[in-house]
Amino acid sequence: MSAQLQVIAESFPIAGRFTISRGSKTEADVVTCTIGDGAFSGVGECVPYKRYGESIEGVIADIEKMADAVSQGLDRLELQHVMKPGAARNAVDCALWDYEAKRSGLSVASQILHEPAVPLVTAYTISLGDAETMARNSAANAHRPLLKIKLGTDDDESRMRAVRKAAPDSRIIVDANEGWTDDNIEHHLAVAAALNVSLIEQPLPAGKDEILARIHRQVQICADESVHSTADLETLRNRYDAINIKLDKTGGLTEALVMKQEAIRLGYTIMVGCMVGTSLAMAPAVLLAQGTEYADLDGPLLLARDREPALTYDGSLVHPPERSLWG
């Protein structure tokens, strides 16, 4: 029997409100792709992102266009040429990985890793708020080894200082979500360095980050919105020290693995990140993040309800996925 493709939209409530410099949301809206032949089925999840011109409806439409190709035996390598990078391809690519693993009996981990997958420390995100609120939320999570704080305002110094005081022992990643400017970046970098911030993610708007090649980077700078494909890596070397690989940007695990290897060759520090999604979206990313310097895979920790089965989190330690979930 040939494989059939199905796609649905799902929504999972966020515990409270998730806020970054571009806005807030209370639900994680995801698209789930299933590829199956009646005996075996594989699943993949993606999170359409408005910042990249994506919508739930548009992503579903793009996935549905692949139904005939999937029924005719479309494989992952062919997929890279018939779908553009982005959330839609991610869902199909990950569904194909899972489907192939279920049919063959060979786990994805065994196919892409040289050693057994191990638990990873994930960053835990502190949403953007006023300094007092961010300090309170950081204090409640000060036991976590790695915090990621959302910034991108006119007064990020007070927020950084408040968070560091509230969580003196945690390593800190600052994510400005393109919210800084040429006028304030050097001041913010100096404050971050004084506060022993480990990494600063996407401080300036993508395409408007030329100053990074000219100023002294006192803290490692990580590209997120500026990097989508492997081809981007060479051109960013003089501006960024690290890259954030997200499956919803690369268009799936297949391309993400290629990007990871090229980033290693070029000497980048690597973060594997996520959108706010469920354990199904995090599962392939946990395997991708093996051996990298940073994992930012806390999406399910921000939800009021995850899907079942789910990844196992012990505090900030995320365990590799069981095959009943994915892979």
Side-chain angles (χ1 to χ4, degrees):
M1 181 183 295
S2 62
Q4 304 298 311
L5 179 150
Q6 295 179 317
V7 58
I8 60 171
E10 298 182 89
S11 185
F12 294 82
I14 291 172
R17 183 180 297 271
F18 182 76
T19 302
I20 66 173
S21 60
R22 285 190 286 270
S24 301
K25 61 181 182 178
T26 57
E27 292 182 317
D29 296 315
V30 309
V31 173
T32 305
C33 175
T34 302
I35 295 174
D37 59 14
F40 303 98
S41 65
V43 289
E45 177 185 306
C46 71
V47 183
Y49 196 31
K50 185 178 179 181
R51 167 67 178 78
Y52 301 142
E54 297 174 335
S55 66
I56 294 288
E57 296 77 16
V59 164
I60 288 176
D62 286 345
I63 293 173
E64 288 176 336
K65 292 175 184 176
M66 292 296 105
D68 288 343
V70 166
S71 69
Q72 295 169 17
L74 176 74
D75 64 31
R76 288 183 292 100
L77 296 182
E78 293 171 323
L79 179 68
Q80 311 309 304
H81 301 290
V82 298
M83 290 190 82
K84 63 183 179 182
R89 193 175 79 183
N90 177 33
V92 179
D93 183 75
C94 289
L96 285 170
W97 272 104
D98 192 33
Y99 176 54
E100 293 164 9
K102 298 295 195 300
R103 284 200 307 165
S104 68
L106 298 173
S107 69
V108 175
S110 69
Q111 296 177 56
I112 68 173
L113 301 175
H114 300 299
E115 307 176 333
V118 298
L120 304 172
V121 172
T122 178
Y124 182 83
T125 303
I126 305 298
S127 284
L128 179 62
D130 59 47
E132 181 180 353
T133 300
M134 293 185 73
R136 184 169 61 251
N137 292 339
S138 297
N141 289 282
H143 61 286
R144 297 184 184 273
L146 183 62
L147 297 179
K148 176 173 175 175
I149 64 172
K150 293 290 190 176
L151 297 178
T153 75
D154 293 333
D155 183 19
D156 282 346
E157 178 178 352
S158 67
R159 290 167 170 81
M160 282 191 277
R161 293 191 182 281
V163 168
R164 172 49 79 200
K165 183 176 181 181
D169 298 324
S170 300
R171 295 174 70 202
I172 292 176
I173 300 168
V174 162
D175 185 0
N177 281 118
E178 305 180 280
W180 292 356
T181 68
D182 287 2
D183 294 331
N184 65 27
I185 186 169
E186 290 182 273
H187 173 72
H188 285 142
L189 286 175
V191 172
L195 296 174
N196 197 29
V197 168
S198 297
L199 190 71
I200 296 175
E201 192 176 345
Q202 199 64 48
L204 298 170
K208 298 180 179 179
D209 51 8
E210 297 87 355
I211 194 175
L212 293 177
R214 304 193 302 270
I215 64 175
H216 175 54
R217 300 194 292 266
Q218 301 176 64
V219 179
Q220 279 200 321
I221 307 294
C222 178
D224 183 4
E225 285 85 354
S226 288
V227 61
H228 291 259
S229 69
T230 304
D232 296 330
L233 297 178
E234 186 69 47
T235 61
L236 296 175
R237 291 179 74 183
N238 67 338
R239 302 180 190 182
Y240 294 94
D241 311 291
I243 62 163
N244 187 343
I245 304 177
K246 292 178 180 175
L247 300 182
D248 279 317
K249 291 190 302 180
T250 65
L253 181 60
T254 302
E255 171 64 15
L257 289 166
V258 175
M259 181 183 285
K260 179 182 177 181
Q261 288 306 308
E262 179 64 3
I264 291 171
R265 186 186 74 82
L266 293 173
Y268 283 103
T269 295
I270 299 173
M271 172 193 289
V272 174
C274 67
M275 307 300 186
V276 182
T278 77
S279 284
L280 178 57
M282 304 304 122
V286 170
L287 300 183
L288 177 68
Q290 297 290 309
T292 64
E293 291 86 345
Y294 294 97
D296 178 23
L297 302 174
D298 63 341
L301 295 178
L302 306 176
L303 300 178
R305 174 178 59 84
D306 197 3
R307 65 174 79 239
E308 292 291 340
L311 287 171
T312 298
Y313 287 85
D314 293 329
S316 290
L317 204 64
V318 56
H319 291 258
E322 298 291 337
R323 296 193 67 188
S324 57
L325 170 62
W326 186 88

